[in-house]
Amino acid sequence: MKEFTNGLKSGLPIGVGYLSVSFTFGIIAVKYGLTWWEALIISMLTVTSAGQFAGITMMTSPGHYLEMLVSQCTINVRYSFMSISLSQKVNERFKGIWRFIFGFMITDEIFAVASSKKEVSRSFFAGLCVLPYLGWSLGTLIGALLGNILPHALMSALGLAIYGMFVAIVVPDMKKSRSITTVVIIALALSFLFTYTPALKNISAGLSISICAIIAASAGAFLFPIDDD
Amino acid sequence: MNTKLFFIYLAIMAGSTYLIRAIPFAAIKGKIENKYFKSFLTYIPYAVLTAMTLPACLYATDYIISAAIGLLVAVIFAIKNKSLTTVAITACSAVFISEMIIKNLL
């Protein structure tokens, strides 16, 4: 129970951050012609930011099934690396059906928090998922139903919440390890390259994140292989 | 929009997203022994988070400058080993305050 509560607490900043992102999703989904319940179902069954935003731009016209599949796969391929990484972190009781159940909730932010732990238990992960899922669903619903009622300045400020968390995960470990610092610098350089270079910037954000991360982590593994703990 | 079309698209979106997440998670049962692949998996979170944060976070708020200030505040508090929630809240507050200043100056 203590593990579950710990997870719940760790999920709080994610849930708050998700409120603002999914709120925006709700507003946009309705603008694209979806109903409030359609927007809500998408969020409750998909729980992914970039994928959902890309998805609704395509949903309005028929016949783009293959394009939908390809774009979803390229945007989301990063999750498969996260889930491989997470499979090494979970303890021995976190197996079988539980992985199929909780695999549903491997988002960027939940992965980030889980991977900052030495070992991840089922109860911790379950607790960790609760508030983000509620935040994601509730934010979508409110956004779809009420649109622009929250003060804009507040929404703008909340836009940084998730990135603040990422910084809080990465920076302290950079202090401890030169190899992590190097990996971060490589990823940073590649990410800027992929965002601003003419030929590369057409690649979808989801895919370019995966490419940058794979190159940077491979370079790290090659330059600083970890001998064993 | 046509409801049947909606559900077809929804099935493609939700189905592919779920499978991408759950299959690798469930399929890899043992511990990976290969030194290089293990190292790769150690580094991947840092690489993913960095690539997601920059430069994207600069466009997450109303002004690039307010986002940059928020990011700087986050880095400072993270260096001081503050908790995730503290870092996130201080970063958002920094954005909020700097945008108030920017809007009142313009």
Side-chain angles (χ1 to χ4, degrees), chain B residues 23-105:
Chain B
I23 288 178
F25 192 41
I28 298 176
K29 295 199 176 78
K31 290 286 170 198
I32 290 165
E33 297 298 341
N34 182 289
K35 183 171 81 172
Y36 292 100
F37 196 52
K38 258 169 77 177
S39 310
F40 173 82
L41 293 177
T42 305
Y43 295 130
I44 199 91
Y46 303 103
V48 171
L49 296 179
T50 304
M52 279 196 295
T53 304
L54 277 163
C57 82
L58 298 176
Y59 305 100
T61 67
D62 283 350
Y63 305 93
I64 290 182
I65 182 77
S66 64
I69 292 169
L71 180 66
L72 186 69
V73 169
V75 170
I76 292 169
F77 278 78
I79 289 174
K80 293 183 174 179
N81 290 329
K82 299 291 178 195
S83 74
L84 301 192
T85 314
T86 311
V87 173
I89 291 172
T90 47
C92 290
S93 311
V95 172
F96 191 79
I97 294 166
S98 48
E99 290 190 353
M100 299 265 274
I101 296 170
I102 293 167
K103 280 171 192 160
N104 285 317
L105 287 180

Side-chain angles (χ1 to χ4, degrees), chain A residues 61 88 100 173 175 191 196, chain B residues 9 18 31 46 54 59 79:
Chain A
S61 43
Q88 302 297 301
F100 278 105
D173 287 348
K175 286 199 313 189
S191 182
Y196 298 116
Chain B
Y9 276 127
Y18 172 69
K31 290 286 170 198
Y46 303 103
L54 277 163
Y59 305 100
I79 289 174

